[in-house]
Amino acid sequence: MKIVLASLVACLAAFSATAADNAAKQHATDLGARAAMSNMFEIEAAKIEIASGKANDAKQFAHDMIRDHGKAGSVLSDAAQKDGIELPAALDVGFTSKLAALRRSSAANLDQAYLPTQVTAHEQAVNLFESYSKQGSDGKLKRTAAKILPDLRMHLTRIRGLTSK
């Protein structure tokens, strides 16, 4: 009886550890997917602004987003790979729809369409990276989230300044 009970306790402990590992892996996978899509969206939205926008400050911000998010995308991809997380290669329907709406904006209205999308995207990114850098499972992805977070905060401050003009 003691052997059966000990075996049952050992199985439950192993099951709990596996469940915790699976939850941590899922949390990392969710962060990776959301961060990668947000990053791709930032770059694609910036390309639209550069091609058709009118305001120089918005275009400069867009140029900076391509540069900064291009670097962040590489760092994020490397971290995810080291942690065994596969990142999506394409945007989901929500981000695709936002890009389509930007493309449909007239040149006269594009800046006013682009800037608010950047506020929202950067607010969401800051919240995502802040949460994961505090509560994510230890690993390269968590350290990378903490490393990227100050840049995201700076982008958010900057875009809020542009939208308040």
Side-chain angles (χ1 to χ4, degrees), residues 69-98:
H69 285 278
K71 289 178 189 175
S74 295
V75 171
L76 182 69
S77 179
D78 289 346
Q81 185 178 21
K82 287 179 180 160
D83 282 355
I85 305 297
E86 189 172 330
L87 299 180
L91 293 171
D92 67 11
V93 174
F95 283 116
T96 303
S97 297
K98 290 175 186 179

Side-chain angles (χ1 to χ4, degrees), residues 41 102 109-123 159 163:
F41 170 76
L102 283 176
N109 294 325
L110 180 60
D111 299 325
Q112 293 346 95
Y114 172 71
L115 295 173
T117 67
Q118 296 308 295
V119 172
T120 301
H122 282 91
E123 286 173 344
I159 195 63
T163 58

Side-chain angles (χ1 to χ4, degrees), residues 4-16:
V4 172
L5 187 57
S7 296
L8 181 59
V9 168
C11 286
L12 286 174
F15 178 74
S16 295

